[in-house]
Amino acid sequence: MHMLSSTSAVTPLAGRRFSAFLFDMDGTLITSIESANRAWTTWSRMRNFDPAHVISIMHGVRTVETMKRLGVSDPEAEAAWITKLEIEDTDGVAPIAGVAKFLAGIPEGRWAIVTSASRKLAEARLARAGIAIPPVLVTSEDVERGKPDPACFLLGAKRLNVDPAECLVFEDTVAGLNAADAAGAAALAITATHSHPIGTAHSAIPDYRGLAVSANTQGVAVVSAA
């Protein structure tokens, strides 16, 4: 994996322009680990699951699919319960370093958020982090299959009226990066919330500091802000 420090003059995917950027939310635009872990730990203890195991498998995928993987009797009801708890508790939710300035440089219609969270949870967390919701927001309710299935990124590209192969996906999980690959998009890993390498061959950056957006009629690109 190519790691890029926040002060590096090297720009990931240098020289490439894209029709649009597609951003995952949790761990990519915002950090919500504290909030999510509290909710999942509470639920796990109530349902007699090992919280450490549950937390190890729930990041980057839809809540209902984690419930199905755990074999609960009513995945939809359990997912709704924990989502309500997450919406009520957004303490610790904050933007990834440099993201506000980076997003401000992207022209309208050239980016979307594609998240495994529900729309209500996405709205709550983005509001807490001070990030405006773009016109295109793809959430868990919009697709039948979540990441690593590519459906969410294909839908995000479709709603922006661009070819998925001409998109750059920003992600922080293996499931999300695999979904981007399956959609035919380029992908860039964000490692701000990781203590260990993600473990894929994708280019990676810790956060958005030192980066900017170059936009023209040929598309958008990630460039050094220096």
Side-chain angles (χ1 to χ4, degrees):
M1 180 186 299
H2 170 62
M3 301 300 294
L4 178 69
S5 71
S6 60
T7 58
S8 174
V10 177
T11 303
L13 302 166
R16 289 197 61 180
R17 287 195 172 272
F18 301 91
S19 294
F21 293 154
L22 304 177
F23 293 88
D24 172 53
M25 183 181 71
D26 296 297
T28 302
L29 293 177
I30 65 173
T31 175
S32 56
I33 288 179
E34 293 178 10
S35 171
N37 285 358
R38 283 194 300 270
W40 282 90
T41 296
T42 297
W43 178 86
S44 298
R45 288 173 176 164
M46 289 179 61
R47 297 293 187 262
N48 296 315
F49 285 101
D50 174 19
H53 170 66
V54 173
I55 288 171
S56 75
I57 66 171
M58 63 84 171
H59 290 290
V61 298
R62 297 192 306 172
T63 300
V64 69
E65 287 163 354
T66 299
M67 295 301 180
K68 291 176 181 178
R69 183 174 176 182
L70 291 169
V72 301
S73 59
D74 191 339
E76 287 77 13
E78 298 291 350
W81 187 92
I82 200 167
T83 297
K84 181 176 183 294
L85 192 60
E86 289 180 299
I87 292 171
E88 293 171 348
D89 176 12
T90 58
D91 287 350
V93 173
I96 298 295
V99 72
K101 185 175 182 180
F102 187 80
L103 292 177
I106 310 174
E108 185 174 339
R110 294 289 189 95
W111 70 287
I113 296 176
V114 181
T115 176
S116 295
S118 70
R119 185 172 187 94
K120 287 185 177 180
L121 179 56
E123 290 174 346
R125 286 181 172 170
L126 289 168
R128 182 60 180 255
I131 295 176
I133 298 172
V136 176
L137 170 62
V138 177
T139 64
S140 61
E141 298 97 335
D142 294 318
V143 293
E144 294 183 2
R145 297 177 301 279
K147 303 169 187 177
D149 190 280
C152 56
F153 288 125
L154 295 175
L155 180 58
K158 181 179 180 180
R159 288 182 176 177
L160 289 173
N161 296 312
V162 298
D163 187 334
E166 296 177 359
C167 291
L168 174 60
V169 169
F170 295 76
E171 260 287 356
D172 76 306
T173 67
V174 172
L177 292 166
N178 286 343
D181 291 344
L188 179 61
I190 306 297
T191 63
T193 62
H194 292 259
S195 58
H196 303 288
I198 292 178
T200 73
H202 300 85
S203 294
I205 56 174
D207 53 50
Y208 301 88
R209 291 174 293 180
L211 298 178
V213 177
S214 169
N216 58 27
T217 57
Q218 282 72 52
V220 286
V222 181
V223 298
S224 171

